CSV table of all heavy atoms in Angstrom, one decimal:
chain,number,residue,atom,x,y,z
A,195,LEU,N,-9.8,10.2,-2.9
A,195,LEU,CA,-10.4,9.1,-3.6
A,195,LEU,C,-11.2,9.5,-4.8
A,195,LEU,O,-11.1,9.0,-5.9
A,195,LEU,CB,-11.2,8.3,-2.6
A,195,LEU,CG,-11.9,7.0,-3.2
A,195,LEU,CD1,-10.9,5.9,-3.5
A,195,LEU,CD2,-12.9,6.5,-2.2
A,268,ALA,N,13.7,5.6,16.8
A,268,ALA,CA,15.1,5.9,16.3
A,268,ALA,C,15.0,6.5,14.9
A,268,ALA,O,16.0,7.1,14.5
A,268,ALA,CB,15.9,4.6,16.4
A,271,LEU,N,12.4,11.9,13.3
A,271,LEU,CA,13.3,13.0,13.3
A,271,LEU,C,12.8,14.2,14.1
A,271,LEU,O,11.7,14.1,14.7
A,271,LEU,CB,13.5,13.5,11.8
A,271,LEU,CG,13.9,12.4,10.8
A,271,LEU,CD1,14.0,13.0,9.4
A,271,LEU,CD2,15.2,11.7,11.2
A,286,SER,N,9.1,14.1,-4.4
A,286,SER,CA,9.5,12.7,-4.4
A,286,SER,C,8.6,11.8,-5.2
A,286,SER,O,9.1,10.7,-5.6
A,286,SER,CB,9.5,12.1,-2.9
A,286,SER,OG,8.2,12.2,-2.4
A,329,ASN,N,-2.0,-17.6,-32.5
A,329,ASN,CA,-1.1,-17.6,-33.6
A,329,ASN,C,0.3,-17.1,-33.2
A,329,ASN,O,0.4,-15.9,-32.8
A,329,ASN,CB,-1.7,-16.6,-34.7
A,329,ASN,CG,-0.9,-16.7,-36.0
A,329,ASN,OD1,0.3,-16.5,-36.0
A,329,ASN,ND2,-1.7,-16.8,-37.1
A,338,ASP,N,7.9,-8.2,-30.8
A,338,ASP,CA,9.0,-7.4,-31.4
A,338,ASP,C,8.7,-5.9,-31.5
A,338,ASP,O,9.6,-5.1,-31.1
A,338,ASP,CB,9.3,-8.0,-32.8
A,338,ASP,CG,10.5,-7.3,-33.5
A,338,ASP,OD1,11.6,-7.7,-33.1
A,338,ASP,OD2,10.3,-6.4,-34.3
A,353,GLU,N,15.8,7.1,-16.5
A,353,GLU,CA,15.8,8.2,-15.6
A,353,GLU,C,14.6,8.2,-14.7
A,353,GLU,O,14.7,8.6,-13.5
A,353,GLU,CB,15.9,9.5,-16.4
A,353,GLU,CG,17.2,9.7,-17.1
A,353,GLU,CD,18.3,9.9,-16.2
A,353,GLU,OE1,18.2,10.4,-15.1
A,353,GLU,OE2,19.4,9.4,-16.5
A,383,ASN,N,7.1,-3.8,10.9
A,383,ASN,CA,7.7,-4.9,11.8
A,383,ASN,C,7.8,-6.2,11.0
A,383,ASN,O,7.6,-7.3,11.6
A,383,ASN,CB,6.8,-5.0,13.0
A,383,ASN,CG,7.7,-5.6,14.2
A,383,ASN,OD1,8.9,-5.6,14.2
A,383,ASN,ND2,7.0,-6.2,15.2
A,409,ILE,N,6.4,-28.7,-19.2
A,409,ILE,CA,5.1,-29.1,-19.5
A,409,ILE,C,4.4,-28.2,-20.5
A,409,ILE,O,3.7,-28.7,-21.4
A,409,ILE,CB,4.2,-29.1,-18.2
A,409,ILE,CG1,4.7,-30.3,-17.3
A,409,ILE,CG2,2.7,-29.2,-18.4
A,409,ILE,CD1,4.0,-30.3,-15.9
A,428,VAL,N,-2.6,-23.3,-24.4
A,428,VAL,CA,-1.8,-24.6,-24.6
A,428,VAL,C,-2.7,-25.7,-25.0
A,428,VAL,O,-2.2,-26.8,-25.4
A,428,VAL,CB,-1.1,-25.0,-23.3
A,428,VAL,CG1,0.0,-23.9,-22.9
A,428,VAL,CG2,-2.0,-25.1,-22.1
A,433,ASP,N,-11.9,-22.7,-25.8
A,433,ASP,CA,-12.0,-21.2,-25.7
A,433,ASP,C,-12.6,-20.9,-24.4
A,433,ASP,O,-13.9,-20.9,-24.2
A,433,ASP,CB,-12.9,-20.8,-26.9
A,433,ASP,CG,-12.9,-19.2,-27.0
A,433,ASP,OD1,-12.0,-18.6,-26.4
A,433,ASP,OD2,-13.8,-18.7,-27.6
A,478,ARG,N,-7.6,3.9,-17.0
A,478,ARG,CA,-6.3,3.4,-16.5
A,478,ARG,C,-6.3,1.9,-16.7
A,478,ARG,O,-7.3,1.2,-16.5
A,478,ARG,CB,-6.2,3.7,-15.0
A,478,ARG,CG,-5.0,3.2,-14.3
A,478,ARG,CD,-4.9,3.6,-12.9
A,478,ARG,NE,-3.6,3.3,-12.4
A,478,ARG,CZ,-3.0,4.0,-11.3
A,478,ARG,NH1,-3.6,5.0,-10.8
A,478,ARG,NH2,-1.8,3.6,-10.9
A,542,THR,N,-5.6,-13.4,-3.0
A,542,THR,CA,-5.2,-14.7,-3.6
A,542,THR,C,-5.9,-15.9,-2.9
A,542,THR,O,-6.1,-16.9,-3.6
A,542,THR,CB,-3.7,-14.9,-3.4
A,542,THR,OG1,-3.3,-14.7,-2.0
A,542,THR,CG2,-2.9,-13.9,-4.3
A,610,ALA,N,17.9,-8.6,-17.6
A,610,ALA,CA,18.2,-9.7,-18.5
A,610,ALA,C,18.9,-10.9,-17.8
A,610,ALA,O,18.5,-12.1,-18.0
A,610,ALA,CB,19.0,-9.3,-19.7
A,702,PRO,N,4.9,-22.4,4.8
A,702,PRO,CA,4.0,-21.9,3.7
A,702,PRO,C,4.6,-22.1,2.4
A,702,PRO,O,3.9,-22.5,1.4
A,702,PRO,CB,3.8,-20.4,4.1
A,702,PRO,CG,4.1,-20.3,5.5
A,702,PRO,CD,5.2,-21.3,5.8
Side-chain angles (χ1 to χ4, degrees):
L195 180 67
L271 309 177
S286 61
N329 187 310
D338 182 79
E353 289 299 324
N383 206 17
I409 288 174
V428 294
D433 189 17
R478 182 174 190 157
T542 52

